[in-house]
Amino acid sequence: KMQLLIKSEFFTEMLLNKGKPLPSYYETAFDEEFRTNRFDQKIQMDRQMDSNRRFSGYIAYNYYSRLRNKYFKDLVTLNSKQVLTDGGDDTTAFSAIMARGTYNYFSPKKPFTFELGYDIISQTGIGSRIENQSQTISDFALFMTSEITVGKKVTLKPGIRIAHNTSYKAPVAPTLSGRYKHKDYVYRVSYGRGFRAPDLKELYLSFVDVNHNVIGNKDLQAERSHNFQASATGFHKVKKMLIRPSASVFYNDITDKITLAGIQGIEYTYVNLDKFR
């Protein structure tokens, strides 16, 4: 009646950027080393409490660190000396703790089912490129969805999510979807209100190496959106053929959408789009 999953992953990488020899004799150069480490740990549990009730949950930990070292190298003697000024020695680290759990109730004899859940994520960033050397942002949320059957043709699924973000004011996010079956066709409509706060990397991380030049933006606003969707699907048998016509449409209205944009050359940063539809 219970399944337990334990998962661990570790990644390490070292990139060496050999600088161009410096004039006028081209016997010295600045080399850079970028060392990256990532560690992911997850514990997940699924338990069937009885025929009508089920609990699923997980807790996870993620760690990311990036160390940049700059060296002044003599190309004649091959001796190197570490450069400690002008960002030559820089370490940035991010960690995150995530937890999520859902409790489901289902009864085949009742026209009503529901799901209760919680969602937690807390991120911490440390480094000289981060404002005040350290920043933490957390998000705590409770949510509930239910499914109500009306007769044999109509199914409604209302839901709500209440969240608290330590840096941004999170609105109450309702959702509502409906399903209607008529003869050989099924019609679906749904609405959901969305909210997404920028994460610490979008806000504060400066990721610069031989392949990247992405600068965080601490002035980012949170995304807010209204999302609509409708669809119709048919099911027909014509002699030995099966025909399934379908059509769908969606409309998303997003305020302050977070996206990556070029500033100049290869330099990029995160910006808010006032309106995105």
Side-chain angles (χ1 to χ4, degrees):
K1 293 184 178 181
M2 186 175 73
Q3 292 182 335
L4 191 65
L5 171 68
I6 300 175
K7 181 179 180 181
S8 296
E9 292 182 353
F10 179 74
F11 169 84
T12 185
E13 175 186 70
M14 196 279 281
L15 295 176
L16 176 62
N17 178 26
K18 294 185 177 182
K20 293 182 179 181
L22 301 172
S24 58
Y25 298 107
Y26 302 98
E27 84 285 9
T28 58
F30 286 107
D31 292 346
E32 291 179 308
E33 286 185 358
F34 300 90
R35 297 181 181 272
T36 301
N37 292 304
R38 287 202 302 267
F39 173 69
D40 293 286
Q41 175 71 45
K42 182 179 181 180
I43 300 175
Q44 179 176 326
M45 183 186 74
D46 293 291
R47 178 172 175 79
Q48 189 71 40
M49 303 170 72
D50 54 37
S51 59
N52 299 333
R53 298 178 300 156
R54 182 183 183 88
F55 175 81
S56 299
Y58 73 83
I59 183 169
Y61 174 76
N62 168 264
Y63 175 80
Y64 162 90
S65 70
R66 179 176 172 275
L67 173 65
R68 172 179 178 264
N69 287 326
K70 189 174 183 179
Y71 297 92
F72 182 72
K73 187 163 186 174
D74 188 319
L75 300 177
V76 178
T77 65
L78 300 184
N79 292 327
S80 296
K81 183 178 181 180
Q82 187 174 356
V83 179
L84 301 177
T85 59
D86 192 27
D89 183 11
D90 178 41
T91 300
T92 303
F94 285 88
S95 63
I97 297 176
M98 295 155 283
R100 180 182 174 91
T102 57
Y103 171 84
N104 294 271
Y105 174 81
F106 169 78
S107 176
K109 297 181 180 181
K110 296 180 180 180
F112 176 79
T113 66
F114 68 89
E115 177 183 85
L116 297 173
Y118 62 88
D119 222 348
I120 299 170
I121 179 169
S122 181
Q123 296 179 310
T124 299
I126 301 172
S128 60
R129 295 178 181 269
I130 296 176
E131 186 177 359
N132 298 326
Q133 303 293 314
S134 177
Q135 294 286 337
T136 298
I137 185 171
S138 302
D139 194 89
F140 308 90
L142 297 174
F143 59 88
M144 183 184 79
T145 61
S146 61
E147 188 172 296
I148 305 168
T149 303
V150 183
K152 296 182 179 180
K153 295 185 177 182
V154 178
T155 302
L156 299 176
K157 194 171 183 179
I160 192 169
R161 180 183 176 90
I162 302 172
H164 170 70
N165 188 280
T166 55
S167 298
Y168 296 88
K169 185 177 180 180
V172 175
T175 64
L176 178 63
S177 63
R179 178 181 181 273
Y180 174 71
K181 187 177 186 304
H182 179 67
K183 296 182 179 180
D184 295 329
Y185 279 85
V186 175
Y187 304 91
R188 290 182 171 89
V189 294
S190 67
Y191 162 77
R193 185 176 184 184
F195 169 82
R196 185 178 84 83
D199 61 31
L200 281 179
K201 293 179 182 179
E202 293 168 331
L203 290 168
Y204 301 111
L205 177 63
S206 296
F207 185 26
V208 181
D209 63 15
V210 292
N211 296 313
H212 307 86
N213 193 340
V214 180
I215 308 299
N217 180 5
K218 65 180 181 179
D219 296 321
L220 285 175
Q221 302 298 313
E223 287 184 6
R224 289 172 170 80
S225 64
H226 298 277
N227 310 283
F228 303 86
Q229 187 171 341
S231 66
T233 304
F235 184 91
H236 300 283
K237 285 184 178 180
V238 180
K239 294 183 179 180
K240 294 184 178 181
M241 292 189 302
L242 176 63
I243 301 174
R244 298 191 65 182
S246 65
S248 64
V249 60
F250 70 89
Y251 175 72
N252 296 330
D253 185 358
I254 306 175
T255 302
D256 290 327
K257 177 179 171 63
I258 300 170
T259 186
L260 196 62
I263 303 175
Q264 59 181 2
I266 62 170
E267 185 175 337
Y268 286 78
T269 190
Y270 295 96
V271 299
N272 287 114
L273 299 180
D274 290 341
K275 279 292 183 182
F276 179 88
R277 296 188 179 94

